[in-house]
Amino acid sequence: MALTTSEHAQTQTHTAQLPQVTEPRNPGMALDLDWVARVQANTSAIERRCAALPARRSVKKTHQAAWLLKAVSCIDLTTLSGDDTEMRVGRLCAKAKHPVRAEVLQALGMDGLTTGAVCVYHEMIPAAVQALQGTGIPVAAVSTGFPAGLSPFHLRLQEIKESVAAGAHEIDIVISRRHVLTGNWHALYDEMKQMRDACGDAHVKAILATGELGSLRNVARASLVCMMAGADFIKTSTGKESVNATLPVTLVMLRAIRDYFDRTGYRVGYKPAGGISKAKDAITYLALIKEELGDRWLQPDLFRFGASSLLGDIERQLDHHLTGAYAAGYRNPMG
């Protein structure tokens, strides 16, 4: 599958992606429990569809390079380690501004390409904001007791407000999984709505922690409830669970996004996170987005990869495309 001419032009001109959002934000809607109750997931059919996709949507040569450049523009370059320092975040931000070596981008006609955002803990927001000043690259912060989301609720809301005040443009929040596992959709809706309100103008990504929700049906229902409550993005995982982003989960969440758009007219973004480290996997996810939601969702204001190691493999593949050989690791440092 190849990028169309118009898609390639969008990729070439899309250098400073955000916060130049052109879509109206999802305002949410009243909780519709009848709609939630009707949501089902045919697990065997979903798994068959996803198993066939990688072989059916293989791209090579110039087409592959175009898709990999698209993937770079949609990466939330992330560091969420206990030993993070201002210096490490500064290096990560330098990589976000120049994710691929200049000579490679020049050879591909893609000068000015950046990643979609930089994602850090609250303590590292000032360092990231300073390092990215004037670039148009937004800072995203994980919040609400990340990754478990089990701290007192008023503290989770206060953490959101403090991250926004510190300069975060996007807030990645974690939902309370127990609300999904017990079917308490009112509680999940109220929680998500209050978190959305606490974000103010900052966009909110709702992390479902899909590996801990028990079933694909629960994933579909939780996705829908979070969108009803006003989520700007729905996201698979914190990256800290034993099971993170998978294609079956992605298909379920994309179809929930499509159903919500069909009902309300509002586009909600999608972010798979955790476990996506290979360039070929990135292309598979992009192909699924294109097939299920269409070209509009292939832009950074509606799609992100929550990954960092992915960028290194994409750089190796781009080197191979140009030279016929894979570059040594030191040629593509993270920062």
Side-chain angles (χ1 to χ4, degrees), residues 3 22 50 116 128 149 224 244 272 308:
L3 284 172
T22 58
C50 293
L224 192 57
N244 295 292
S308 290

Side-chain angles (χ1 to χ4, degrees), residues 45-279:
I46 290 167
E47 290 176 346
R48 284 197 304 271
R49 164 96 162 84
C50 293
L53 184 66
R56 198 165 47 82
R57 290 305 186 200
S58 179
V59 293
K60 303 295 182 183
K61 300 183 178 179
T62 304
H63 299 315
Q64 182 187 65
W67 279 101
L68 293 179
L69 292 168
K70 169 62 70 178
V72 170
S73 75
C74 295
I75 290 176
D76 276 4
L77 207 55
T78 303
T79 181
L80 297 172
S81 299
D83 58 352
D84 282 343
T85 64
E86 288 83 357
M87 186 174 295
R88 173 183 287 176
V89 170
R91 291 197 303 268
L92 194 74
C93 292
K95 188 65 171 178
K97 292 185 283 188
H98 307 286
V100 180
R101 295 198 320 276
E103 63 269 26
V104 174
L105 291 182
Q106 289 170 4
L108 295 170
M110 286 296 296
D111 294 340
L113 182 70
T114 71
T115 64
V118 169
C119 185
V120 295
Y121 276 120
H122 171 82
E123 282 291 301
M124 296 295 114
I125 293 173
V129 169
Q130 181 177 3
L132 295 173
Q133 189 172 8
T135 64
I137 303 172
V139 174
V142 295
S143 193
T144 61
F146 180 95
L150 293 175
S151 56
F153 187 63
H154 71 280
L155 295 181
R156 284 183 268 166
L157 294 180
Q158 186 60 32
E159 185 181 3
I160 292 173
K161 294 174 183 177
E162 292 190 15
S163 292
V164 174
H169 302 94
E170 304 172 4
I171 305 294
D172 290 28
I173 64 95
V174 289
I175 67 167
S176 298
R177 286 70 136 176
R178 67 184 182 277
H179 296 328
V180 180
L181 295 172
T182 59
N184 193 345
W185 304 116
H186 277 291
L188 177 61
Y189 178 87
D190 291 341
E191 175 184 272
M192 183 69 238
K193 196 171 188 308
Q194 290 183 66
M195 289 178 179
R196 159 67 193 271
D197 291 342
C199 287
D201 292 335
H203 281 219
V204 56
K205 306 191 196 90
I207 307 173
L208 305 187
T210 54
E212 297 178 348
L213 296 189
S215 69
L216 291 178
R217 183 176 65 181
N218 279 347
V219 171
R221 291 178 173 178
S223 298
L224 192 57
V225 171
C226 286
M227 289 186 287
M228 289 178 179
D232 296 294
F233 266 72
I234 52 175
K235 175 180 172 182
T236 59
S237 334
T238 65
K240 308 294 186 181
E241 293 93 51
S242 58
V243 178
N244 295 292
T246 66
L247 285 176
V249 159
T250 293
L251 181 58
V252 168
M253 294 175 73
L254 294 184
R255 288 181 173 173
I257 289 171
R258 186 177 65 195
D259 290 346
Y260 186 81
F261 175 68
D262 289 343
R263 172 77 71 94
T264 68
Y266 288 101
R267 291 183 172 91
V268 174
Y270 174 66
K271 179 179 175 180
I276 304 172
S277 60
K278 298 298 182 183

